[in-house]
Amino acid sequence: MSDASIYLKAAEALRANPAQWAAYESKGHCVVLAGPGSGKTKTLTVKLARLLSEDIQEPRGLACITYNNECARELETRLAALGIEPGRRAFVGTVHSFSLTQIVLPYAKAADMGLPDEFCIATRAERRQALETAYKKVIGGRENPQLLDFTMGTYRRSILNRNSTEWRETDPLMATLVEAFEAELRAMGRIDFDDMPLLAVRALREHEWLQRAILAKYPVLIVDEYQDLGRALHRMVMGLCFSTGMRLFAVGDADQSIYEFNGANPQLLRELAARKDVECVRLRLNYRSGSKIVEASNFALGEARDYEAAEGAEEGTVYFHPQQGSYEHQAAEAFRTVIVDIAKRHPDLEPGDIAFLYPAAWLGDKVAEVAQQVGLSVIRTDTNAIYPRASRLMRWLESCAKWCSGGWQTGTPRFNHLANEGARLFAEEINTPEMRLAFQRALMQCLWSRRDGTLVLRQWLSDVRAAIITDLIVKCRTMKDEGETLDTFIARTQPGKDCEDMTVSQFAGQSEGNDSLHLSTLHSAKGREFSIVIMFGMDQGSIPRNNSTASQKSEARRLFYVGFTRAKSEVHIMHSNLRPSPFVTELQNRLKLE
């Protein structure tokens, strides 16, 4: 089957949903407001395939910007199923990656960005050092400078114009600290992740020729999860799409905006969708959740929405489990009663169909400890996971481990996909057809001789690092922080450490696999779905936090809504009996009235 026929067949499936079809057929700027479980990723990827096949003439392409690497990976997987490999004409990646690889690296000198020659991305250790030095110069004292890192980042992302009165007068001390911190980074020959979109936006604003250069390469800009991407991306969109003529296709849901601390603002999406020169399409049907869960989700959100379960959906159920005692006790109770009752109702359910979602990673520790005691394995996607889930290098190595653990026989993952993904990781160095072929051969030689899932992971990782990764990290300015992440994890696999007994096959199952329970913060669960969701620790003080502002309470409610809408058939809400979250109390009361 040809690539064109694959996507056309997928497109036919959109016809049954008029809103999905309208998004697919859109010709100009289009914003798709997509509720939970509404098939937005399917719509987005099929639309992307159509744009590349019908609307954009080679060698031009399109840029697809996502919130994080997890989203990018999901899109790449779905595009591959439609016969499209990102990299040649389609950029798929985060706003940071787009800013760095498409604007900052190619045009730093020409756009006079004030960066040192051969600058690199700062590692976490280098950022800490720069902040400590800046703190001593600007503030002084014996406080821990790292305590200001979060506030500093928020200030950098919220006020983009450094020449404005707002930048100088809103918090003069913080403005001075930011400038001193960035000066220290430059003296070290470094930029950091927050620098990437800020430098890109500044350069685009100051140089019209740069806008035209980006337009020449990418006449279409796709943005996924628009509500989460913040002011820098919004400013970029406004300049590129409504000044130069780049076409915009954006997807998002203001009700799922949960990253205000990173500069996200749901109002930016609302304003974009309301523009007269933008076609706005709403996806109302929920294909994920049972009808009772869809109905109850309005109460969870605290605002009326007209979402409906798709025709033929099961009913779904919401359970409340008031608890007494410590969180350790509550976690034990979850396995003693809640999990046992779920298993009785769904005897064919696998552990991987169940997810524990919680407001903070330390609550996940309580659940993980009990799971270990009862002999159940878990996959964690929070800050206490065995490695940062945002690491592109670690996720790629995980895929390589999966290939070595039997994937080479089943074709999951395909070796060509592994090689292409690895080449994109190190694209700064692997930038010619000859280099890509040499990388592919070296990777095959390395993995072919290590096709054994029972191998001890520490040796496998060390061998793959030495054979494939070490030289590339040295040569690639963008990968040093990833190398630090890998080294930190390899240290955890050494004798006496917590991952010393891990095998290659166990490492390969850290992202997926139906024999392990999923443990995730509410934030990290966004974009995912599970048959059963257990919302653990839904207490006042955790969601929302004590002394929250009105804005923070609104975001906490949206976070509660995001967790609630991950479920297909059952939602279980566990809370302390004497201090339930007000969102839980309101939801209970509303459901009783129905």
Side-chain angles (χ1 to χ4, degrees), residues 100-229:
L100 178 66
T101 64
Q102 307 301 310
I103 300 175
V104 178
L105 282 173
Y107 300 109
K109 286 189 177 181
D112 194 24
M113 296 183 194
L115 300 179
D117 293 342
E118 300 302 316
F119 65 89
C120 294
I121 310 304
T123 64
R124 289 183 292 275
E126 289 167 340
R127 284 191 84 261
R128 288 193 294 270
Q129 179 184 335
L131 180 53
E132 287 174 7
T133 304
Y135 180 87
K136 290 176 182 177
K137 291 180 178 180
V138 174
I139 298 174
R142 304 179 66 177
E143 297 296 322
N144 181 1
Q146 307 308 320
L147 296 176
L148 290 176
D149 192 24
F150 179 84
T151 305
M152 183 178 69
T154 301
Y155 200 75
R156 294 171 78 189
R157 292 186 292 268
S158 61
I159 305 174
L160 302 185
N161 186 356
R162 298 291 177 84
N163 297 319
S164 67
T165 302
E166 182 186 16
W167 170 261
R168 183 56 54 195
E169 295 184 359
T170 301
D171 188 337
L173 185 62
M174 188 55 61
T176 304
L177 180 63
V178 168
E179 291 169 1
F181 167 73
E182 291 176 352
E184 291 301 324
L185 284 179
R186 302 299 180 267
M188 297 163 64
R190 301 291 186 264
I191 67 171
D192 72 348
F193 279 92
D194 277 343
D195 273 320
M196 296 173 191
L198 298 178
L199 288 166
V201 167
R202 230 171 282 159
L204 287 168
R205 184 180 65 237
E206 294 172 0
H207 302 287
E208 187 177 335
W209 61 263
L210 180 54
Q211 297 176 25
R212 293 196 300 270
I214 302 300
L215 174 63
K217 187 175 183 180
Y218 300 121
V220 178
L221 178 65
I222 311 287
V223 183
D224 188 22
E225 303 289 3
Y226 195 98
Q227 75 281 351
D228 290 332
L229 288 163

Side-chain angles (χ1 to χ4, degrees), residues 30 111 145 260 282 314 338 533 551 565 567:
C30 181
E260 184 177 358
R282 292 190 67 248
E314 62 178 294
V338 179
V533 163
S551 176
T565 54

Side-chain angles (χ1 to χ4, degrees), residues 71-88:
C71 296
R73 190 182 180 91
E74 171 69 13
L75 286 175
E76 288 179 350
T77 299
R78 295 208 187 195
L79 287 171
L82 294 175
I84 296 173
E85 283 286 349
R88 191 168 66 87

